[in-house]
Amino acid sequence: MTQGEPQVRSGPGRLLVAVYGVFALAATSRAGVQIATKFAEAPLAYLLSAFAAVVYIVLTVALARNNRRVALAACSIELAGVLIVGTLSLADSQAFPDATVWSGYGSGYGFVPLLLPVLGLVWLLRRRPAA
């Protein structure tokens, strides 16, 4: 990071780091319990929850370290995941006998998983370094 580069973790960026940290902890805990106790019931859903947890961890660390490139990539992956898993979970509910973080576009979490990557992308793109 150069001296003139804007901090993505300042101002509202701090709130993003905190929210992603909470989601990283929640998704990791949920996926860990699900995989350890009832993996055979819904392996796809539980593996997707674990994938979401990894994305949230990467995003938390990238934002905290002001790594825009990684944060942008992870936010894009998160948004794609929420849209794809959300659509598939509604279109084929039998494939998802148990919910993931991204099922129903994050409806189990008040749609925060759908809103969060949009806010993250907007924040990161507005904090773009001067050319």
Side-chain angles (χ1 to χ4, degrees):
M1 180 179 83
T2 62
Q3 196 157 348
E5 189 174 322
Q7 294 281 315
V8 296
R9 64 179 177 232
S10 64
R14 289 182 186 200
L15 180 60
L16 276 176
V17 172
V19 172
Y20 272 117
V22 168
F23 266 77
L25 183 60
T28 301
S29 300
R30 177 182 179 161
V33 168
Q34 290 172 326
I35 290 170
T37 62
K38 51 185 184 173
F39 182 73
E41 293 176 23
L44 177 62
Y46 301 150
L47 289 174
L48 286 170
S49 286
F51 178 74
V54 170
V55 171
Y56 290 136
I57 291 167
V58 168
L59 262 162
T60 303
V61 172
L63 289 169
R65 292 187 177 175
N66 205 51
N67 190 332
R68 289 184 78 258
R69 186 174 295 162
V70 171
L72 279 167
C75 268
S76 299
I77 291 168
E78 178 192 9
L79 182 57
V82 171
L83 294 174
I84 292 167
V85 172
T87 301
L88 291 175
S89 67
L90 294 175
D92 186 8
S93 60
Q94 290 182 353
F96 295 89
D98 201 357
T100 73
V101 176
W102 294 339
S103 292
Y105 306 107
S107 60
Y109 291 86
F111 296 99
V112 173
L114 179 60
L115 183 61
L116 202 52
V118 173
L119 293 174
L121 287 168
V122 168
W123 176 251
L124 289 165
L125 293 173
R126 296 184 107 206
R127 303 295 295 176
R128 198 176 336 193

